[in-house]
Amino acid sequence: MTAVEPVPCVVRCADAVVPTDHGAFTAIAYRSATGIEHLAMVFGDPTVGTALTRVHSECLTGDVLGSRRCDCGPQLSAALERIADAGAGVLLYLRGHEGRGIGLAAKIAAYQLQDWLGLDTVDANLRLGLPVDARDYADAAAILRDLRVDRIDLLSNNPAKAAGLAAAGVTVAGTTPLEIAANDHNARYLATKRDRLGHNLTHAHLVTRH
């Protein structure tokens, strides 16, 4: 009997060069089995050695609208810059990860609870009956396999992200911090990520704002 090949959870759709403020990246579009589309931004040849890699969760408010309630937009720009400076690497932009996987509408509802009741990002999700973090990294692992990237140096402050990628089959050789300075609007959010979600944030001035 002939063995049946497993159905890939992502399909490569198209690629093109995208000039950015940090250099020219090759943008490769993928579509997942669930219909969600992701983007890999590839610089240089990431298959040689350990690839500097950012697995970036979609954040419309931060990445597109410049919201200062989070650090997502500055992290996205900083990651592209770091990868270009390294000469090679990958940024995976994962759609469907809005609000740590709860979706855009639920994220805005969680913001509302934070504003009205003074809850932090963890307790706001729980008050809505939603998980603190619902992200899945199977698509990220499949994209890295398609790119022939065997080992990564993960640009992240989040040990849970490294663990999630490892559980999905990615060899995470190490992590490199991607810390952004706090502002008056996200200091409490960043302190919550440090104190309740285990992020490796070391800014001495980062304190919970009441």
Side-chain angles (χ1 to χ4, degrees):
M1 180 180 296
T2 303
V4 177
E5 290 293 325
V7 177
C9 62
V10 296
V11 175
R12 185 189 288 227
C13 300
D15 62 84
V17 174
V18 174
T20 76
D21 290 342
H22 309 294
F25 286 71
T26 299
I28 306 174
Y30 289 86
R31 184 175 296 114
S32 76
T34 60
I36 296 173
E37 294 177 332
H38 308 294
L39 193 68
M41 295 287 284
V42 179
F43 194 89
D45 183 1
T47 66
V48 178
T50 301
L52 186 63
T53 301
R54 169 69 180 169
V55 177
H56 190 87
S57 295
E58 174 184 26
C59 177
L60 176 71
T61 52
D63 298 339
V64 178
L65 302 177
S67 169
R68 293 171 63 80
R69 291 187 71 132
C70 65
D71 57 342
C72 300
Q75 279 194 318
L76 177 61
S77 179
L80 290 171
E81 182 178 19
R82 295 275 287 276
I83 290 167
D85 287 348
V90 180
L91 184 142
L92 298 187
Y93 194 86
L94 294 185
R95 308 276 311 283
H97 274 203
E98 189 80 46
R100 297 195 304 273
I102 65 173
L104 180 61
K107 182 174 84 169
I108 299 302
Y111 281 172
Q112 187 179 58
L113 288 179
Q114 291 168 45
D115 294 342
W116 286 2
L117 304 179
L119 302 180
D120 65 22
T121 183
V122 171
D123 287 334
N125 280 28
L126 296 175
R127 178 68 67 93
L128 290 169
L130 298 171
V132 173
D133 192 334
R135 289 174 291 185
D136 180 271
Y137 296 100
D139 286 356
I143 292 170
L144 290 171
R145 285 195 297 272
D146 182 76
L147 294 173
R148 307 285 197 275
V149 172
D150 297 322
R151 291 165 52 88
I152 69 170
D153 176 10
L154 183 65
L155 272 171
S156 179
N157 308 313
N158 184 3
K161 181 178 287 186
L165 287 164
V170 177
T171 299
V172 181
T175 59
T176 294
L178 189 65
E179 193 164 357
I180 304 298
N183 62 60
D184 287 344
H185 302 280
N186 69 15
R188 186 185 182 200
Y189 165 78
L190 293 175
T192 299
K193 290 212 295 188
R194 179 193 63 194
D195 299 338
R196 302 197 64 187
L197 298 175
H199 288 223
N200 296 317
L201 297 171
T202 60
H203 282 311
H205 64 274
L206 182 59
V207 294
T208 300
R209 187 167 66 94
H210 297 286

